[in-house]
Amino acid sequence: MKLTFWGAAGEVTGSCSLLESQGKKFLVDCGMFQGGHEHEQKNEQPLGFDPAELTAVFVTHAHLDHVGRLPLLVKSGFTGPIYATAPTADLAALIMADAAGIMHYDHQKFGRPITYKQSDVDQAAELFKRVEYHENIIIPGIPAADFSACLYDEGHIFGSAFVEIKAGGKHLVFSGDVGNEDVPILRDTEPLPAGLDVLVCESTYGDRKHEPSSERLRILREAITAGLQRGGSILVASFSLERAQELLYELNEMIEHSRDFPHVPIFVDSPLAIDALRVYRNYPRYYDAAAKECVMAGDDIFKFPSLNLTYTREESKRINQVRGQKIIIAGAGMLTGGRILHHALRYLSDEQSTLLLTGYQSVGTLGRRLLEGESPVEIMGERVKVRCQVKMIGALSAHGDQDKLANWITGGKTAPRQVILNHGDPAACAALIKRLGANGVAAEAAVFGKTCLFE
């Protein structure tokens, strides 16, 4: 058996793991590289394998850095099944279409290359095979004794999963992204199966700890209250999947159960986030107990009086005409594109306003540079001096921190025999390796293009 990493090795994005067993080839995720220009150029490079030779693909969840190159697989000759949960399949179609639209726009305006078109997205979406958690997946034409797979709830974003594979006498798990603790709407991360030969695990926050999840609502409320007390507006850089919906859920809780919550207009300025709401509403069986209870009581967990959904560009532009303070939730979460840049151009120089960052900021992104205090910054060709307050809320991250990762890996009846860490910057990966070593679990970092052999 062979395992080769063609992405998310020594960095956070571009997840892509190739597993070869008994003459068959399987892929776990095929995501885009994100960050600065240096990272994104990798999306134009050869995949490192022939997509036409793949038997099947397994997708852990619908974030762009896990599904963004699936249409490229199809364009390059892949015709097999893509296994994922139903929410992941629906959300992935939205994410891939959004990426294709951005490529078209960037090509028209800046002459940047187009990796794939909407027709490739449509073909990729048709290949998805929707499976439930705990469903035994048998690939047609391959005996169950030679290969089987199963998805378990990862608690990272809606429909996310870690993938268990039994092949060639080996027992493996690919974590995808491990969810944070006690995330609204989502169920908790399921325990790892016992007796693993190999665990491929992410390490995004392997070197840090979040604020306690039990204080998530208080931290968010205090950040909003403090921001509004500064006298300006609040700009929330949000990932369109999970983070935007989680924010709406939390804001709904605060507004409906607190008389003194500041009453200001709240805008969700992201077509993708708005489209994703439909997927959430289609699959209430994936909610956790608290969210189900709200829905059963007749509460729309994504709707409240001060909320405005701005889908079109014209509606987005009209936000600027709304006088007074406001809260604007817009993508992209790392300020790498999208409508957030238009609002950043307007509000970063305002010393009374606040920018809230709600998730991981990759090296080279505008969000990372703002978090590190860079000023001025360039936005759409203009130099902007940063005078607003910039604040990160780690408790809102969809990724588990070092404690969550270490406890998940070591908390089962038996620890995995071999742990390979991907999807993390070198420092984060090294810190988690050290933490696991202290717990008696040996781990190593994934290396791009390196093939691991398992006898």
Side-chain angles (χ1 to χ4, degrees):
M1 178 181 289
K2 300 179 181 179
L3 175 60
T4 309
F5 296 94
W6 294 110
E11 60 184 310
V12 169
T13 61
S15 287
C16 186
S17 302
L18 178 66
L19 180 68
E20 301 175 64
S21 177
Q22 298 179 322
K24 303 292 184 180
K25 297 181 179 181
F26 306 90
L27 203 64
V28 179
D29 291 334
C30 192
M32 274 191 174
F33 294 93
Q34 296 173 280
H37 181 64
E38 178 184 349
H39 292 274
E40 294 174 359
Q41 277 187 318
K42 296 177 183 178
N43 295 314
E44 303 164 25
Q45 297 175 1
L47 287 165
F49 53 89
D50 183 356
E53 296 178 353
L54 295 174
T55 299
V57 175
F58 297 89
V59 171
T60 60
H61 64 284
H63 275 150
L64 186 65
D65 61 332
H66 291 259
V67 303
R69 287 187 292 167
L70 288 176
L72 181 59
L73 285 185
V74 174
K75 182 180 177 182
S76 304
F78 175 68
T79 58
I82 302 174
Y83 293 97
T85 66
T88 292
D90 290 355
L91 292 170
L94 295 176
I95 284 286
M96 294 185 298
D98 183 67
I102 292 173
M103 285 182 210
H104 177 75
Y105 175 81
D106 288 347
H107 179 72
Q108 295 275 354
K109 190 163 186 177
F110 307 111
R112 294 174 184 167
I114 295 179
T115 307
Y116 54 79
K117 300 179 181 179
Q118 182 60 42
S119 58
D120 302 309
V121 171
D122 295 337
Q123 291 183 52
E126 291 176 1
L127 295 178
F128 271 88
K129 304 295 181 184
R130 292 162 168 77
V131 295
E132 296 292 334
Y133 293 130
H134 308 151
E135 178 181 341
N136 195 31
I137 303 169
I138 304 299
I139 308 295
I142 303 179
D146 291 341
F147 186 95
S148 66
C150 190
L151 304 184
Y152 294 84
D153 197 337
E154 188 60 279
H156 172 60
I157 69 170
F158 202 54
S160 63
F162 64 84
V163 183
E164 177 190 39
I165 292 177
K166 296 178 181 179
K170 297 296 182 182
H171 189 187
L172 304 88
V173 159
F174 294 83
S175 76
D177 289 349
V178 180
N180 202 350
E181 294 284 3
D182 301 321
V183 178
I185 308 170
L186 305 181
R187 296 189 289 254
D188 293 338
T189 305
E190 293 192 74
L192 278 172
L196 288 180
D197 294 301
V198 182
L199 168 64
V200 178
C201 185
E202 67 120 320
S203 56
T204 308
Y205 282 109
D207 60 346
R208 68 197 77 178
K209 299 179 183 181
H210 299 321
E211 301 96 331
S213 58
S214 59
E215 298 186 21
R216 179 183 288 111
L217 202 60
R218 178 189 62 78
I219 293 168
L220 178 60
R221 179 190 174 92
E222 288 181 356
I224 291 175
T225 301
L228 293 176
Q229 286 176 346
R230 290 169 59 88
S233 293
I234 297 177
L235 182 58
V236 184
S238 173
F239 298 90
S240 298
L241 294 189
E242 194 57 39
R243 204 62 38 78
Q245 293 76 29
E246 178 184 341
L247 284 166
L248 291 184
Y249 181 91
E250 298 284 33
L251 287 167
N252 179 58
E253 284 287 304
M254 286 188 281
I255 290 171
E256 293 191 355
H257 298 96
S258 177
R259 294 182 180 180
D260 60 343
F261 186 82
H263 290 286
V264 297
I266 299 172
F267 297 91
V268 174
D269 193 24
S270 167
L272 180 57
I274 296 168
D275 284 337
L277 288 174
R278 182 182 70 254
V279 179
Y280 276 72
R281 290 186 170 113
N282 284 345
Y283 299 102
R285 69 180 185 274
Y286 284 83
Y287 295 174
D288 67 4
K292 284 182 180 178
E293 184 178 344
C294 288
V295 173
M296 292 297 292
D299 184 10
D300 188 332
I301 58 177
F302 302 120
K303 186 177 181 180
F304 42 87
S306 57
L307 179 63
N308 302 273
L309 305 179
T310 54
Y311 194 87
T312 68
R313 290 184 181 180
E314 290 70 26
E315 290 171 330
S316 177
K317 292 177 182 178
R318 285 199 289 270
I319 295 175
N320 292 332
Q321 300 172 13
V322 177
R323 304 179 71 176
Q325 293 178 291
K326 57 186 80 77
I327 299 172
I328 304 169
I329 302 170
M334 292 185 280
L335 290 95
T336 53
R339 294 181 180 176
I340 190 74
L341 294 182
H342 296 274
H343 299 297
L345 192 61
R346 181 181 180 89
Y347 289 106
L348 287 185
S349 60
D350 179 13
E351 61 184 12
Q352 292 183 302
S353 290
T354 301
L355 170 66
L356 295 182
L357 301 173
T358 60
Y360 183 79
Q361 306 295 311
S362 291
V363 174
T365 63
L366 177 57
R368 180 67 164 261
R369 289 186 279 121
L370 288 169
L371 187 61
E372 293 174 346
E374 182 175 323
S375 178
V377 293
E378 184 173 320
I379 301 177
M380 296 186 293
E382 295 189 33
R383 300 288 287 175
V384 181
K385 189 172 180 62
V386 182
R387 296 188 179 91
C388 75
Q389 184 181 65
V390 179
K391 181 176 177 60
M392 164 68 85
I393 305 181
L396 291 176
S397 175
H399 287 267
D401 63 6
Q402 187 189 78
D403 285 345
K404 171 65 181 286
L405 293 170
N407 292 337
W408 186 63
I409 294 170
T410 63
K413 294 180 180 179
T414 58
R417 294 183 180 87
Q418 185 169 357
V419 177
I420 305 174
L421 300 181
N422 68 343
H423 206 282
D425 292 331
C429 186
L432 186 55
I433 288 174
K434 182 177 180 180
R435 169 73 180 269
L436 292 173
N439 291 338
V441 177
E444 62 182 295
V447 177
F448 184 86
K450 179 183 176 181
T451 298
C452 302
L453 300 176
F454 308 107
E455 300 297 335

